[in-house]
Amino acid sequence: MSKKTAFKILVLYMLTSCVFLALVFYGWYQTKKDSIIESKVNTLFENAHTLVVHLYEQSQNYPRNSNALDYKKLLETAHSELGITFLLVKKNGEILFNTQENIKDSKEVREILSAPAFLQAPTLKTSRHHKNDKIVRINDGMYLITQRMGGRFWHVMRQSFGDLDSKMESKDNIYLLVYSKGVESELYALLSVIFISFIGAFLAMSVVAYFLVSLSLKPLREKIQHLNAFIKDSTHEINTPLSVILMSIERIKMYELSTSQQQKFERIKLAAQTLEQIYQDLLFYAFDEAKDLKLENVALGQLITERIAYFEPFFRRKNIAISFSLELEDSVESVISANYSRIVRMVDNLLDNALKYTQNGGSVEVVLGENFLSIKDNGCGISKEHIDKIFNRYYRANSDQGGFGIGLALVRQICMLYKIAITCKSEEGKGSEFRLEW
């Protein structure tokens, strides 16, 4: 039970810790993601500014003659010296200049120009001249699409084309695309770091949680150990006086007693049998050496008849009618391969359970089939909140009744050993049915 409780506490602790870690690491990821994107965006704007300034400065080295300036050569020189990847394109997708190898035709350019904005330019709201500026993210790269090339850039273009309006139509028709790669790869690298950190933190918290749960459940574990020790000691001490009582009962001759004495003797005998029943359960539970492991073919019909006869005085005392019926074909006997004493303990505990929780004047029905055993009573029943716990050790659904709460735990233990399926159907106030199938 302590292990099961520890496991539940540990699972709950780890689930809440996992949620907490997920929120923390999600916030970290978002912060770092925004930082990476902001860095890429700043790089794009800086590259665009550096490119324009460089082009203007280089154009000043040429004579002021429209035929002397080769703008393509100037752009190629800027690319090789600055290492900036960029394109100069028209609105219809026509490529005027391109340093990006994977862009081949105007269709790809138009797709970039028409792509939805991943991030609007910071100056969009403050100047009408920048209304078409935007950041576009495509796969692992980001493009700054801008016409903010200023007077310096257009001075270079006028030197190259002469009559700008006739050869290049309008400057509103030309876009500068500055490219930066590595966005997705950096985000994936960030996710890898965060995932590894999350696993490390989770494992560290798991270790801490394990020791915390072990420490917190130490008093419970000690209590259970003390209880087990008490049961063993009590069982050992009960043996001698119980043996004396049972031997004395066997030697008493009923015909020598008066009617009043016979009634008293009957009560003493029932009490002694009850004590013997408790002793056998405690003996079976507490001492492994007392558990006989020998297998044999147990005839259930004869065994149940004997056990009902043993319990008959107890049922008669509470005026409980107990019936036993067989649902077997002729010449068929219900037999199970098991240890005889264990099956006795199983049947006794189920009968004792029915006796204990059935009111005076009630009834108990025992039905044996070829592959099943049913014990049904019309007692107080079990509520839904308790029915899943009745097979737990030391658990008692009704504290008004006596016992240690180990009877049904022993029944389940024996059923698991011999692969017997046990189910309980119960309705509070109407009774319970325990059914064994093999």
Side-chain angles (χ1 to χ4, degrees), residues 111-138:
E111 290 177 355
I112 296 173
L113 294 176
S114 61
F118 174 69
L119 187 69
Q120 290 294 131
T123 54
L124 177 61
K125 295 182 179 180
T126 59
S127 175
R128 62 183 178 85
H129 301 294
H130 309 317
K131 62 182 180 179
N132 293 324
D133 290 6
K134 65 179 179 178
I135 300 292
V136 173
R137 180 178 169 184
I138 298 177

Side-chain angles (χ1 to χ4, degrees), residues 15 77 80 84-85 150 198 239 257 263 310 325 338 356 407 425:
L15 285 176
T77 302
S80 60
I84 298 173
T85 302
F198 178 86
N239 184 32
L257 302 178
Q263 292 175 349
Y310 175 84
S325 59
K356 196 178 293 182
K425 295 180 180 179

Side-chain angles (χ1 to χ4, degrees), residues 94-288:
E94 180 184 344
I95 301 174
L96 300 176
F97 183 79
N98 178 20
T99 62
Q100 190 175 358
E101 296 180 356
N102 61 332
I103 300 296
K104 303 297 183 182
D105 54 39
S106 59
K107 180 180 178 182
E108 294 175 293
V109 173
R110 287 195 298 271
E111 290 177 355
I112 296 173
L113 294 176
S114 61
F118 174 69
L119 187 69
Q120 290 294 131
T123 54
L124 177 61
K125 295 182 179 180
T126 59
S127 175
R128 62 183 178 85
H129 301 294
H130 309 317
K131 62 182 180 179
N132 293 324
D133 290 6
K134 65 179 179 178
I135 300 292
V136 173
R137 180 178 169 184
I138 298 177
N139 297 327
D140 191 36
M142 294 176 68
Y143 290 90
L144 167 61
I145 303 175
T146 181
Q147 293 177 317
R148 293 185 297 139
M149 293 169 282
R152 294 177 177 180
F153 183 81
W154 289 110
H155 173 75
V156 176
M157 293 298 99
R158 285 190 179 92
Q159 279 191 276
S160 302
F161 289 97
D163 185 0
L164 182 66
D165 292 334
S166 61
K167 292 187 178 181
M168 296 187 68
E169 299 175 1
S170 168
K171 67 179 182 180
D172 290 336
N173 194 40
I174 296 191
Y175 292 91
L176 175 64
L177 277 63
V178 182
Y179 177 75
S180 178
K181 67 177 181 178
V183 178
E184 281 194 359
S185 57
E186 288 192 33
L187 291 179
Y188 284 137
L190 173 62
L191 282 173
S192 299
V193 171
I194 288 178
F195 179 75
I196 293 172
S197 301
F198 178 86
I199 295 299
F202 185 79
L203 291 176
M205 294 187 73
S206 299
V207 173
V208 174
Y210 174 78
F211 286 107
L212 286 176
V213 171
S214 298
L215 185 63
S216 62
L217 290 179
K218 185 178 179 181
L220 176 61
R221 194 158 44 245
E222 291 177 350
K223 287 283 187 182
I224 293 175
Q225 290 173 352
H226 291 160
L227 179 59
N228 290 338
F230 170 76
I231 292 175
K232 287 188 176 183
D233 294 341
S234 301
T235 303
H236 180 74
E237 295 298 328
I238 287 173
N239 184 32
T240 302
L242 179 60
S243 299
V244 172
I245 293 172
L246 292 174
M247 289 175 61
S248 300
I249 289 175
E250 289 176 0
R251 292 178 180 178
I252 293 177
K253 300 176 181 179
M254 291 288 291
Y255 63 85
E256 296 179 351
L257 302 178
S258 64
T259 303
S260 175
Q261 290 174 332
Q262 288 180 4
Q263 292 175 349
K264 293 177 182 179
F265 174 77
E266 186 69 23
R267 287 196 292 269
I268 294 173
K269 184 177 179 180
L270 291 176
Q273 288 177 333
T274 301
L275 188 59
E276 183 187 19
Q277 172 74 12
I278 295 173
Y279 171 76
Q280 292 295 336
D281 282 346
L282 293 177
L283 185 69
F284 185 86
Y285 167 72
F287 297 98
D288 292 334

